[in-house]
């Protein structure tokens, strides 16, 4: 039986607080997220994330997008393996989320 700190191969890892790497990734996809959501976000502050190792890494990120209410979005960002030269890309986005919405894998 897998432990919580040892996810199944190919499965999503546990939820972690956003760090500098996640903040940098989010900066790189903010304009794409605004375009996909057809909205300009007042703030764009990553809160938490989880990863999934595939042929690269999927990052599932909860992002706060308003300073006046509890509006959040969820992002799925893909980063390819270094030898592929793949840039970071926004794969999917979910809107109408709040701070209490569970961050689950999506957008396959």
């Amino acid at each position: 039986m897998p432990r919580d700190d040892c996810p199944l191969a190919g499965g999503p890892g546990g939820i972690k607080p956003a760090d500098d790497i996640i903040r940098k990734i989010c900066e790189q996809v903010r304009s794409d997220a605004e375009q996909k959501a057809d909205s300009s976000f007042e703030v764009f502050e990553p809160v938490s994330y989880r990863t999934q190792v595939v042929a690269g890494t999927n990052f599932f990120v909860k992002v706060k997008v308003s300073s006046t209410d509890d509006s959040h979005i969820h992002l799925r960002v893909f980063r390819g393996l270094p030898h592929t030269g793949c840039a970071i890309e926004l794969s999917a986005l979910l809107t109408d989320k709040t701070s209490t919405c569970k961050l689950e894998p999506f957008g396959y």
Side-chain angles (χ1 to χ4, degrees):
M1 180 189 312
R3 299 184 329 233
D4 288 341
D5 62 340
C6 187
L8 292 172
I15 297 173
K16 303 174 188 172
D19 57 23
D20 288 340
I21 292 170
I22 295 303
R23 283 187 276 280
K24 184 174 180 176
I25 287 171
C26 286
E27 285 174 21
Q28 291 178 286
V29 300
R30 179 178 181 160
S31 63
D32 292 336
E34 289 177 330
Q35 185 176 4
K36 277 191 178 195
D38 195 27
S39 180
S40 180
F41 300 124
E42 179 185 354
V43 297
F44 203 75
E45 299 171 2
V47 176
S48 58
Y49 75 101
R50 63 193 313 176
T51 59
Q52 176 186 31
V53 176
V54 289
T57 305
N58 282 321
F59 296 89
F60 300 96
V61 188
K62 181 183 290 193
V63 180
K64 182 171 178 59
V65 293
S66 174
S67 63
T68 58
D69 63 27
D70 195 31
S71 296
H72 287 67
I73 60 173
H74 291 182
L75 308 176
R76 181 169 62 96
V77 179
F78 177 74
R79 181 177 65 191
L81 295 170
H83 74 277
T84 65
C86 287
I88 290 173
E89 77 177 49
L90 177 64
S91 302
L93 173 142
L94 298 175
T95 57
D96 300 322
K97 298 294 183 179
T98 66
S99 61
T100 60
C101 291
K102 193 170 181 179
L103 183 59
E104 295 287 353
F106 66 94
Y108 296 104

